Amino acid sequence: MEVEVELSKIIINEAVDQQIIVLKELEGERSFPIVIGMTEILAIDRRLKNIQLPRPMTHDLLENVIDQIGGEVQKVVINDLSNGTFYARLHINLDGETVEVDSRPSDAIALGVGVGAPIFVDEQVFGNMQM
């Protein structure tokens, strides 16, 4: 089962390379942090604020490619947590079919927030957090 979440916090600390985003379930109290890199957190922050750059960055490029081939990002799913590493999948609608693409959560979220796609977490991830 998938639980819809929101990006509830972005913690940017320019003094260190590891940055933090916090996902919180929409209809509940559970939340958890994900540690990501500086490049990814700045991309998420920029795309949330709809700041346009003169040339497309990587997440903008991916959005443009998906759009140009007629696809649409349906959702982002954080689908696994193994040995302290989170895993994600992008769900893309292409010609009426859903294509799932393996992704780092930070990249999937950066792409997803830019296109307004919902973010989900597999229930097993919440379960693994409590171990």
Side-chain angles (χ1 to χ4, degrees), residues 3-11 20-36 41 44 48 76-80 86-88 104-110 112-113 117-122 125-126 129:
V3 178
E4 189 168 4
V5 298
E6 65 183 348
L7 183 56
S8 67
K9 289 183 188 174
I10 298 176
I11 303 168
I20 298 172
I21 57 174
V22 177
L23 299 178
K24 180 188 176 301
E25 64 182 330
L26 286 179
E27 296 184 18
E29 297 300 317
R30 296 179 295 179
S31 66
F32 61 89
I34 298 178
V35 177
I36 65 175
I41 205 156
I44 291 169
L48 279 171
V76 170
V77 178
I78 311 302
N79 66 318
D80 199 8
F86 289 94
Y87 295 82
R104 296 184 309 172
S106 56
D107 291 327
I109 291 169
V113 299
I119 303 169
F120 292 87
V121 174
D122 194 291
V125 173
F126 282 112
M129 297 289 298

Side-chain angles (χ1 to χ4, degrees), residues 18-62:
Q18 294 181 330
Q19 308 302 308
I20 298 172
I21 57 174
V22 177
L23 299 178
K24 180 188 176 301
E25 64 182 330
L26 286 179
E27 296 184 18
E29 297 300 317
R30 296 179 295 179
S31 66
F32 61 89
I34 298 178
V35 177
I36 65 175
M38 181 63 82
T39 303
E40 292 79 11
I41 205 156
L42 293 177
I44 291 169
D45 188 55
R46 179 181 63 78
R47 289 173 63 83
L48 279 171
K49 294 175 179 172
N50 200 28
I51 297 171
Q52 301 296 316
L53 299 176
R55 301 293 302 143
M57 298 299 285
T58 303
H59 302 99
D60 306 316
L61 172 65
L62 184 54

Side-chain angles (χ1 to χ4, degrees), residues 85-99:
T85 300
F86 289 94
Y87 295 82
R89 298 199 60 84
L90 286 168
H91 291 240
I92 301 168
N93 182 313
L94 185 60
D95 296 328
E97 300 285 328
T98 298
V99 177

